[in-house]
PDB file of all heavy atoms in Angstrom:
ATOM      1  N   LEU A 478      60.835 131.361  92.956  1.00  0.00           N
ATOM      2  CA  LEU A 478      61.662 132.490  93.401  1.00  0.00           C
ATOM      3  C   LEU A 478      61.862 132.422  94.934  1.00  0.00           C
ATOM      4  O   LEU A 478      62.974 132.657  95.417  1.00  0.00           O
ATOM      5  CB  LEU A 478      61.004 133.816  93.033  1.00  0.00           C
ATOM      6  CG  LEU A 478      61.835 135.085  93.086  1.00  0.00           C
ATOM      7  CD1 LEU A 478      63.107 134.932  92.222  1.00  0.00           C
ATOM      8  CD2 LEU A 478      61.036 136.277  92.636  1.00  0.00           C
ATOM      9  N   ARG A 479      60.810 132.080  95.639  1.00  0.00           N
ATOM     10  CA  ARG A 479      60.929 131.928  97.122  1.00  0.00           C
ATOM     11  C   ARG A 479      61.897 130.793  97.468  1.00  0.00           C
ATOM     12  O   ARG A 479      62.729 130.912  98.359  1.00  0.00           O
ATOM     13  CB  ARG A 479      59.562 131.674  97.750  1.00  0.00           C
ATOM     14  CG  ARG A 479      58.664 132.824  97.799  1.00  0.00           C
ATOM     15  CD  ARG A 479      57.265 132.408  98.211  1.00  0.00           C
ATOM     16  NE  ARG A 479      56.385 133.553  98.344  1.00  0.00           N
ATOM     17  CZ  ARG A 479      55.030 133.419  98.443  1.00  0.00           C
ATOM     18  NH1 ARG A 479      54.475 132.170  98.390  1.00  0.00           N
ATOM     19  NH2 ARG A 479      54.247 134.458  98.573  1.00  0.00           N
ATOM     20  N   GLU A 480      61.789 129.713  96.660  1.00  0.00           N
ATOM     21  CA  GLU A 480      62.696 128.593  96.941  1.00  0.00           C
ATOM     22  C   GLU A 480      64.157 128.947  96.642  1.00  0.00           C
ATOM     23  O   GLU A 480      65.081 128.516  97.392  1.00  0.00           O
ATOM     24  CB  GLU A 480      62.289 127.376  96.131  1.00  0.00           C
ATOM     25  CG  GLU A 480      62.905 126.078  96.553  1.00  0.00           C
ATOM     26  CD  GLU A 480      62.301 124.816  95.985  1.00  0.00           C
ATOM     27  OE1 GLU A 480      61.162 124.918  95.503  1.00  0.00           O
ATOM     28  OE2 GLU A 480      62.988 123.779  95.966  1.00  0.00           O
ATOM     29  N   LEU A 481      64.409 129.722  95.599  1.00  0.00           N
ATOM     30  CA  LEU A 481      65.733 130.148  95.289  1.00  0.00           C
ATOM     31  C   LEU A 481      66.311 131.016  96.438  1.00  0.00           C
ATOM     32  O   LEU A 481      67.459 130.833  96.830  1.00  0.00           O
ATOM     33  CB  LEU A 481      65.779 131.012  94.025  1.00  0.00           C
ATOM     34  CG  LEU A 481      65.558 130.246  92.686  1.00  0.00           C
ATOM     35  CD1 LEU A 481      65.333 131.238  91.557  1.00  0.00           C
ATOM     36  CD2 LEU A 481      66.730 129.356  92.414  1.00  0.00           C
ATOM     37  N   MET A 482      65.524 131.933  96.956  1.00  0.00           N
ATOM     38  CA  MET A 482      66.018 132.785  98.060  1.00  0.00           C
ATOM     39  C   MET A 482      66.184 132.016  99.353  1.00  0.00           C
ATOM     40  O   MET A 482      67.116 132.239 100.119  1.00  0.00           O
ATOM     41  CB  MET A 482      65.105 133.993  98.255  1.00  0.00           C
ATOM     42  CG  MET A 482      65.103 134.958  97.074  1.00  0.00           C
ATOM     43  SD  MET A 482      64.154 136.493  97.370  1.00  0.00           S
ATOM     44  CE  MET A 482      65.122 137.294  98.647  1.00  0.00           C
ATOM     45  N   SER A 483      65.300 131.078  99.599  1.00  0.00           N
ATOM     46  CA  SER A 483      65.387 130.231 100.803  1.00  0.00           C
ATOM     47  C   SER A 483      66.625 129.371 100.743  1.00  0.00           C
ATOM     48  O   SER A 483      67.378 129.231 101.753  1.00  0.00           O
ATOM     49  CB  SER A 483      64.137 129.353 100.917  1.00  0.00           C
ATOM     50  OG  SER A 483      64.241 128.499 102.008  1.00  0.00           O
ATOM     51  N   TYR A 484      66.896 128.771  99.554  1.00  0.00           N
ATOM     52  CA  TYR A 484      68.093 127.919  99.401  1.00  0.00           C
ATOM     53  C   TYR A 484      69.368 128.758  99.565  1.00  0.00           C
ATOM     54  O   TYR A 484      70.314 128.288 100.199  1.00  0.00           O
ATOM     55  CB  TYR A 484      68.008 127.274  98.035  1.00  0.00           C
ATOM     56  CG  TYR A 484      69.140 126.280  97.803  1.00  0.00           C
ATOM     57  CD1 TYR A 484      69.041 125.006  98.244  1.00  0.00           C
ATOM     58  CD2 TYR A 484      70.265 126.657  97.029  1.00  0.00           C
ATOM     59  CE1 TYR A 484      70.072 124.042  98.020  1.00  0.00           C
ATOM     60  CE2 TYR A 484      71.286 125.725  96.798  1.00  0.00           C
ATOM     61  CZ  TYR A 484      71.176 124.437  97.305  1.00  0.00           C
ATOM     62  OH  TYR A 484      72.185 123.541  97.086  1.00  0.00           O
ATOM     63  N   THR A 485      69.370 129.963  99.055  1.00  0.00           N
ATOM     64  CA  THR A 485      70.548 130.840  99.174  1.00  0.00           C
ATOM     65  C   THR A 485      70.800 131.209 100.615  1.00  0.00           C
ATOM     66  O   THR A 485      71.964 131.302 101.065  1.00  0.00           O
ATOM     67  CB  THR A 485      70.366 132.087  98.306  1.00  0.00           C
ATOM     68  OG1 THR A 485      70.156 131.716  96.988  1.00  0.00           O
ATOM     69  CG2 THR A 485      71.601 133.010  98.394  1.00  0.00           C
ATOM     70  N   ALA A 486      69.753 131.433 101.385  1.00  0.00           N
ATOM     71  CA  ALA A 486      69.872 131.758 102.785  1.00  0.00           C
ATOM     72  C   ALA A 486      70.425 130.567 103.600  1.00  0.00           C
ATOM     73  O   ALA A 486      71.111 130.757 104.591  1.00  0.00           O
ATOM     74  CB  ALA A 486      68.538 132.181 103.375  1.00  0.00           C
ATOM     75  N   ALA A 487      70.137 129.337 103.127  1.00  0.00           N
ATOM     76  CA  ALA A 487      70.533 128.165 103.892  1.00  0.00           C
ATOM     77  C   ALA A 487      71.873 127.605 103.417  1.00  0.00           C
ATOM     78  O   ALA A 487      72.678 127.141 104.248  1.00  0.00           O
ATOM     79  CB  ALA A 487      69.479 127.051 103.771  1.00  0.00           C
ATOM     80  N   TYR A 488      72.135 127.678 102.097  1.00  0.00           N
ATOM     81  CA  TYR A 488      73.302 126.996 101.540  1.00  0.00           C
ATOM     82  C   TYR A 488      74.171 127.823 100.619  1.00  0.00           C
ATOM     83  O   TYR A 488      75.241 127.418 100.225  1.00  0.00           O
ATOM     84  CB  TYR A 488      72.829 125.738 100.777  1.00  0.00           C
ATOM     85  CG  TYR A 488      71.979 124.794 101.585  1.00  0.00           C
ATOM     86  CD1 TYR A 488      70.621 124.736 101.319  1.00  0.00           C
ATOM     87  CD2 TYR A 488      72.505 124.019 102.620  1.00  0.00           C
ATOM     88  CE1 TYR A 488      69.800 123.891 102.065  1.00  0.00           C
ATOM     89  CE2 TYR A 488      71.708 123.155 103.342  1.00  0.00           C
ATOM     90  CZ  TYR A 488      70.346 123.140 103.076  1.00  0.00           C
ATOM     91  OH  TYR A 488      69.578 122.246 103.819  1.00  0.00           O
ATOM     92  N   GLY A 489      73.707 129.010 100.239  1.00  0.00           N
ATOM     93  CA  GLY A 489      74.395 129.775  99.255  1.00  0.00           C
ATOM     94  C   GLY A 489      75.252 130.904  99.906  1.00  0.00           C
ATOM     95  O   GLY A 489      75.679 130.806 101.049  1.00  0.00           O
ATOM     96  N   THR A 490      75.427 131.959  99.112  1.00  0.00           N
ATOM     97  CA  THR A 490      76.314 133.067  99.572  1.00  0.00           C
ATOM     98  C   THR A 490      75.796 133.836 100.783  1.00  0.00           C
ATOM     99  O   THR A 490      76.529 134.578 101.417  1.00  0.00           O
ATOM    100  CB  THR A 490      76.543 134.078  98.424  1.00  0.00           C
ATOM    101  OG1 THR A 490      75.249 134.522  97.971  1.00  0.00           O
ATOM    102  CG2 THR A 490      77.292 133.449  97.252  1.00  0.00           C
ATOM    103  N   ALA A 491      74.519 133.690 101.087  1.00  0.00           N
ATOM    104  CA  ALA A 491      73.916 134.366 102.240  1.00  0.00           C
ATOM    105  C   ALA A 491      73.910 133.488 103.522  1.00  0.00           C
ATOM    106  O   ALA A 491      73.491 133.974 104.570  1.00  0.00           O
ATOM    107  CB  ALA A 491      72.500 134.779 101.938  1.00  0.00           C
ATOM    108  N   ALA A 492      74.358 132.253 103.385  1.00  0.00           N
ATOM    109  CA  ALA A 492      74.217 131.283 104.512  1.00  0.00           C
ATOM    110  C   ALA A 492      74.926 131.712 105.801  1.00  0.00           C
ATOM    111  O   ALA A 492      74.382 131.595 106.875  1.00  0.00           O
ATOM    112  CB  ALA A 492      74.716 129.906 104.119  1.00  0.00           C
ATOM    113  N   GLU A 493      76.138 132.250 105.667  1.00  0.00           N
ATOM    114  CA  GLU A 493      76.891 132.618 106.892  1.00  0.00           C
ATOM    115  C   GLU A 493      76.151 133.776 107.623  1.00  0.00           C
ATOM    116  O   GLU A 493      76.015 133.696 108.861  1.00  0.00           O
ATOM    117  CB  GLU A 493      78.282 133.021 106.520  1.00  0.00           C
ATOM    118  CG  GLU A 493      79.150 133.330 107.734  1.00  0.00           C
ATOM    119  CD  GLU A 493      80.602 133.573 107.377  1.00  0.00           C
ATOM    120  OE1 GLU A 493      80.990 133.389 106.200  1.00  0.00           O
ATOM    121  OE2 GLU A 493      81.366 134.035 108.295  1.00  0.00           O
ATOM    122  N   ALA A 494      75.774 134.780 106.879  1.00  0.00           N
ATOM    123  CA  ALA A 494      75.077 135.897 107.529  1.00  0.00           C
ATOM    124  C   ALA A 494      73.755 135.466 108.118  1.00  0.00           C
ATOM    125  O   ALA A 494      73.375 135.961 109.215  1.00  0.00           O
ATOM    126  CB  ALA A 494      74.867 137.039 106.522  1.00  0.00           C
ATOM    127  N   MET A 495      72.981 134.614 107.466  1.00  0.00           N
ATOM    128  CA  MET A 495      71.684 134.229 107.925  1.00  0.00           C
ATOM    129  C   MET A 495      71.679 133.071 108.951  1.00  0.00           C
ATOM    130  O   MET A 495      70.600 132.657 109.400  1.00  0.00           O
ATOM    131  CB  MET A 495      70.804 133.825 106.713  1.00  0.00           C
ATOM    132  CG  MET A 495      70.498 135.024 105.777  1.00  0.00           C
ATOM    133  SD  MET A 495      69.447 136.241 106.524  1.00  0.00           S
ATOM    134  CE  MET A 495      67.843 135.374 106.462  1.00  0.00           C
ATOM    135  N   SER A 496      72.841 132.614 109.300  1.00  0.00           N
ATOM    136  CA  SER A 496      72.962 131.537 110.268  1.00  0.00           C
ATOM    137  C   SER A 496      72.298 131.969 111.611  1.00  0.00           C
ATOM    138  O   SER A 496      72.624 133.050 112.130  1.00  0.00           O
ATOM    139  CB  SER A 496      74.388 131.148 110.495  1.00  0.00           C
ATOM    140  OG  SER A 496      74.553 130.183 111.521  1.00  0.00           O
ATOM    141  N   GLY A 497      71.366 131.187 112.139  1.00  0.00           N
ATOM    142  CA  GLY A 497      70.728 131.578 113.326  1.00  0.00           C
ATOM    143  C   GLY A 497      69.439 132.375 113.149  1.00  0.00           C
ATOM    144  O   GLY A 497      68.775 132.657 114.141  1.00  0.00           O
ATOM    145  N   VAL A 498      69.155 132.768 111.913  1.00  0.00           N
ATOM    146  CA  VAL A 498      67.832 133.478 111.643  1.00  0.00           C
ATOM    147  C   VAL A 498      66.840 132.396 111.266  1.00  0.00           C
ATOM    148  O   VAL A 498      66.872 131.852 110.191  1.00  0.00           O
ATOM    149  CB  VAL A 498      68.016 134.506 110.471  1.00  0.00           C
ATOM    150  CG1 VAL A 498      66.691 135.245 110.302  1.00  0.00           C
ATOM    151  CG2 VAL A 498      69.159 135.476 110.761  1.00  0.00           C
ATOM    152  N   GLY A 499      65.978 132.079 112.191  1.00  0.00           N
ATOM    153  CA  GLY A 499      65.067 130.981 111.971  1.00  0.00           C
ATOM    154  C   GLY A 499      63.772 131.401 111.322  1.00  0.00           C
ATOM    155  O   GLY A 499      63.500 132.599 111.072  1.00  0.00           O
ATOM    156  N   GLY A 500      62.939 130.406 111.022  1.00  0.00           N
ATOM    157  CA  GLY A 500      61.594 130.684 110.445  1.00  0.00           C
ATOM    158  C   GLY A 500      61.610 130.661 108.929  1.00  0.00           C
ATOM    159  O   GLY A 500      62.494 130.108 108.310  1.00  0.00           O
ATOM    160  N   ASP A 501      60.612 131.238 108.320  1.00  0.00           N
ATOM    161  CA  ASP A 501      60.488 131.330 106.873  1.00  0.00           C
ATOM    162  C   ASP A 501      61.392 132.447 106.328  1.00  0.00           C
ATOM    163  O   ASP A 501      61.086 133.639 106.474  1.00  0.00           O
ATOM    164  CB  ASP A 501      59.034 131.592 106.503  1.00  0.00           C
ATOM    165  CG  ASP A 501      58.802 131.682 104.993  1.00  0.00           C
ATOM    166  OD1 ASP A 501      59.688 131.301 104.253  1.00  0.00           O
ATOM    167  OD2 ASP A 501      57.672 132.152 104.568  1.00  0.00           O
ATOM    168  N   VAL A 502      62.535 132.052 105.804  1.00  0.00           N
ATOM    169  CA  VAL A 502      63.537 133.025 105.434  1.00  0.00           C
ATOM    170  C   VAL A 502      63.964 132.901 103.949  1.00  0.00           C
ATOM    171  O   VAL A 502      63.820 131.830 103.345  1.00  0.00           O
ATOM    172  CB  VAL A 502      64.811 132.988 106.293  1.00  0.00           C
ATOM    173  CG1 VAL A 502      64.424 133.204 107.752  1.00  0.00           C
ATOM    174  CG2 VAL A 502      65.477 131.622 106.138  1.00  0.00           C
ATOM    175  N   GLY A 503      64.491 133.990 103.416  1.00  0.00           N
ATOM    176  CA  GLY A 503      65.038 133.989 102.089  1.00  0.00           C
ATOM    177  C   GLY A 503      66.015 135.144 102.005  1.00  0.00           C
ATOM    178  O   GLY A 503      65.844 136.159 102.682  1.00  0.00           O
ATOM    179  N   ALA A 504      67.029 135.003 101.122  1.00  0.00           N
ATOM    180  CA  ALA A 504      68.059 136.111 101.062  1.00  0.00           C
ATOM    181  C   ALA A 504      68.748 136.061  99.736  1.00  0.00           C
ATOM    182  O   ALA A 504      68.740 135.087  98.974  1.00  0.00           O
ATOM    183  CB  ALA A 504      69.011 135.956 102.205  1.00  0.00           C
ATOM    184  N   LYS A 505      69.394 137.211  99.421  1.00  0.00           N
ATOM    185  CA  LYS A 505      70.266 137.294  98.216  1.00  0.00           C
ATOM    186  C   LYS A 505      71.355 138.297  98.544  1.00  0.00           C
ATOM    187  O   LYS A 505      71.093 139.384  99.044  1.00  0.00           O
ATOM    188  CB  LYS A 505      69.479 137.740  97.004  1.00  0.00           C
ATOM    189  CG  LYS A 505      70.362 137.807  95.730  1.00  0.00           C
ATOM    190  CD  LYS A 505      70.733 136.389  95.276  1.00  0.00           C
ATOM    191  CE  LYS A 505      71.736 136.438  94.121  1.00  0.00           C
ATOM    192  NZ  LYS A 505      73.130 136.691  94.590  1.00  0.00           N
ATOM    193  N   THR A 506      72.577 137.968  98.180  1.00  0.00           N
ATOM    194  CA  THR A 506      73.728 138.881  98.340  1.00  0.00           C
ATOM    195  C   THR A 506      74.029 139.587  97.058  1.00  0.00           C
ATOM    196  O   THR A 506      73.503 139.223  95.991  1.00  0.00           O
ATOM    197  CB  THR A 506      74.997 138.048  98.737  1.00  0.00           C
ATOM    198  OG1 THR A 506      75.270 137.132  97.657  1.00  0.00           O
ATOM    199  CG2 THR A 506      74.756 137.302 100.019  1.00  0.00           C
ATOM    200  N   GLY A 507      74.825 140.616  97.164  1.00  0.00           N
ATOM    201  CA  GLY A 507      75.250 141.344  95.980  1.00  0.00           C
ATOM    202  C   GLY A 507      76.526 142.134  96.196  1.00  0.00           C
ATOM    203  O   GLY A 507      76.799 142.560  97.301  1.00  0.00           O
ATOM    204  N   SER A 508      77.301 142.304  95.141  1.00  0.00           N
ATOM    205  CA  SER A 508      78.485 143.128  95.164  1.00  0.00           C
ATOM    206  C   SER A 508      78.461 143.945  93.879  1.00  0.00           C
ATOM    207  O   SER A 508      78.291 143.414  92.795  1.00  0.00           O
ATOM    208  CB  SER A 508      79.770 142.305  95.191  1.00  0.00           C
ATOM    209  OG  SER A 508      79.789 141.493  96.377  1.00  0.00           O
ATOM    210  N   ALA A 509      78.609 145.227  94.000  1.00  0.00           N
ATOM    211  CA  ALA A 509      78.534 146.130  92.858  1.00  0.00           C
ATOM    212  C   ALA A 509      79.880 146.871  92.698  1.00  0.00           C
ATOM    213  O   ALA A 509      80.265 147.628  93.550  1.00  0.00           O
ATOM    214  CB  ALA A 509      77.387 147.113  92.999  1.00  0.00           C
ATOM    215  N   GLU A 510      80.498 146.632  91.525  1.00  0.00           N
ATOM    216  CA  GLU A 510      81.780 147.356  91.231  1.00  0.00           C
ATOM    217  C   GLU A 510      81.479 148.787  90.942  1.00  0.00           C
ATOM    218  O   GLU A 510      80.522 149.128  90.239  1.00  0.00           O
ATOM    219  CB  GLU A 510      82.445 146.684  90.052  1.00  0.00           C
ATOM    220  CG  GLU A 510      82.770 145.191  90.217  1.00  0.00           C
ATOM    221  CD  GLU A 510      83.783 144.932  91.310  1.00  0.00           C
ATOM    222  OE1 GLU A 510      84.612 145.865  91.555  1.00  0.00           O
ATOM    223  OE2 GLU A 510      83.824 143.863  91.846  1.00  0.00           O
ATOM    224  N   VAL A 511      82.312 149.674  91.443  1.00  0.00           N
ATOM    225  CA  VAL A 511      82.182 151.101  91.228  1.00  0.00           C
ATOM    226  C   VAL A 511      83.538 151.659  90.771  1.00  0.00           C
ATOM    227  O   VAL A 511      84.600 151.404  91.409  1.00  0.00           O
ATOM    228  CB  VAL A 511      81.756 151.874  92.516  1.00  0.00           C
ATOM    229  CG1 VAL A 511      81.668 153.364  92.256  1.00  0.00           C
ATOM    230  CG2 VAL A 511      80.392 151.299  92.996  1.00  0.00           C
ATOM    231  N   ASP A 512      83.533 152.405  89.681  1.00  0.00           N
ATOM    232  CA  ASP A 512      84.779 152.979  89.170  1.00  0.00           C
ATOM    233  C   ASP A 512      85.460 153.812  90.256  1.00  0.00           C
ATOM    234  O   ASP A 512      84.800 154.607  90.930  1.00  0.00           O
ATOM    235  CB  ASP A 512      84.495 153.875  87.982  1.00  0.00           C
ATOM    236  CG  ASP A 512      84.135 153.091  86.737  1.00  0.00           C
ATOM    237  OD1 ASP A 512      84.371 151.906  86.701  1.00  0.00           O
ATOM    238  OD2 ASP A 512      83.536 153.710  85.785  1.00  0.00           O
TER     239      ASP A 512
END
Side-chain angles (χ1 to χ4, degrees):
L478 196 56
R479 287 171 177 165
E480 194 168 339
L481 287 171
M482 292 186 69
S483 177
Y484 185 80
T485 302
Y488 305 106
T490 55
E493 184 174 351
M495 293 294 284
S496 177
V498 183
D501 180 12
V502 300
K505 183 70 186 80
T506 62
S508 300
E510 301 294 335
V511 178
D512 289 343

